[in-house]
Amino acid sequence: MSPTIGVLALQGDVREHVHALESVGARAVGVRRLGELEAVDALVIPGGESTTIDKLLRAFDLFDPLQQRLRAGMPAYGSCAGMILLADRVIGAIEGQRTLGGVDITVRRNAFGRQVDSFETDLTIDGVDDSAHTPLHAVFIRAPWVEEVGPAATVLGRVEGGPAAGRIVAVRQGPLLVTSFHPEVTGDTRVHRLFVQIVRDSL
């Protein structure tokens, strides 16, 4: 069974997420309108600027319908800015910024620094296919990290070395998955494969 997974097509690496999802057996479509949101089994919220995506969701009249679907149990995966949008609490939010919520975490915006502080590192992520016994190469671009995790959420990965060692960068809560990093840009599809399995299990 191939689930239909939408990629929120307001900003960010839409094409890269679509390609990654299709490569692991899902049908992937861009979502910009209510009818498109209603037609998908799950949604990926890509990176970008969380405040801009928040404003665009409201401008396209998608914020409330999307929040309702998430509360009704629709699976979603958020990378980078998508993590912020799925978090219940945000440190460093601008005035008026809202999140969709759903994951019992507190995230810090731009926690790793500015664009010039972007970096790459290898991670071990619980739940991803590790049959090749190779770490996941992760790309962080003006990324958030998770400061606090509530009892309903499960930490899947942390930075393992360097100045940010120990910082939480991957979390799951039920059908919701969030990462600080951008797996769509590396060609490693294991995070997308994990999400597609989460979607299949929910159907």
Side-chain angles (χ1 to χ4, degrees), residues 45 50 54 57 63 66-67 70-71 76-93 97-109 144-150 153 168 171-173 176-180:
I45 304 175
S50 59
D54 169 33
L57 280 168
F63 189 98
L66 174 50
Q67 190 173 60
L70 291 169
R71 288 174 175 171
Y77 165 52
S79 62
C80 199
M83 169 188 265
I84 295 170
L85 283 153
L86 290 173
D88 283 347
R89 299 167 298 278
V90 180
I91 297 170
Q97 180 177 358
R98 294 196 300 174
T99 71
L100 296 158
V103 184
D104 186 10
I105 54 175
T106 301
V107 299
R108 182 178 292 277
R109 287 182 69 228
W145 66 45
V146 179
E147 294 252 329
E148 296 175 339
V149 178
I168 299 166
V171 175
R172 178 178 175 183
Q173 181 172 331
L176 303 179
L177 177 68
V178 292
T179 65
S180 301

Side-chain angles (χ1 to χ4, degrees), residues 7 11-14 17 43-50 53 76-86 139 141-144 169 177-185 191-192:
V7 179
Q11 192 192 45
D13 293 338
V14 177
H17 277 293
L43 188 71
V44 171
I45 304 175
E49 174 53 57
S50 59
I53 297 173
Y77 165 52
S79 62
C80 199
M83 169 188 265
I84 295 170
L85 283 153
L86 290 173
V139 176
I141 305 168
R142 288 184 64 210
V169 292
L177 177 68
V178 292
T179 65
S180 301
F181 53 91
H182 291 264
E184 75 281 1
V185 302
V191 171
H192 290 86

Side-chain angles (χ1 to χ4, degrees), residues 11-162:
Q11 192 192 45
D13 293 338
V14 177
R15 187 182 305 126
E16 292 85 349
H17 277 293
V18 167
H19 178 73
L21 290 165
E22 290 177 339
S23 73
V24 293
R27 177 174 176 264
V29 295
V31 170
R32 294 184 67 171
R33 297 176 180 83
L34 179 58
E36 294 164 342
L37 174 63
E38 292 172 342
V40 298
D41 299 312
L43 188 71
V44 171
I45 304 175
E49 174 53 57
S50 59
T51 54
T52 301
I53 297 173
D54 169 33
K55 291 173 183 172
L56 289 170
L57 280 168
R58 293 189 242 184
F60 281 79
D61 294 322
L62 285 174
F63 189 98
D64 290 337
L66 174 50
Q67 190 173 60
Q68 289 165 12
R69 284 214 60 192
L70 291 169
R71 288 174 175 171
M74 180 182 72
Y77 165 52
S79 62
C80 199
M83 169 188 265
I84 295 170
L85 283 153
L86 290 173
D88 283 347
R89 299 167 298 278
V90 180
I91 297 170
I94 67 167
E95 185 176 353
Q97 180 177 358
R98 294 196 300 174
T99 71
L100 296 158
V103 184
D104 186 10
I105 54 175
T106 301
V107 299
R108 182 178 292 277
R109 287 182 69 228
N110 300 336
F112 288 101
R114 297 171 300 159
Q115 196 87 12
V116 295
D117 299 311
S118 300
F119 71 102
E120 303 181 18
T121 189
D122 288 340
L123 303 174
T124 301
I125 303 295
D126 292 343
V128 303
D129 173 24
D130 192 30
S131 56
H133 301 293
T134 54
L136 193 87
H137 191 67
V139 176
F140 294 83
I141 305 168
R142 288 184 64 210
W145 66 45
V146 179
E147 294 252 329
E148 296 175 339
V149 178
T154 301
V155 175
L156 299 184
R158 299 173 184 265
V159 177
E160 295 170 18

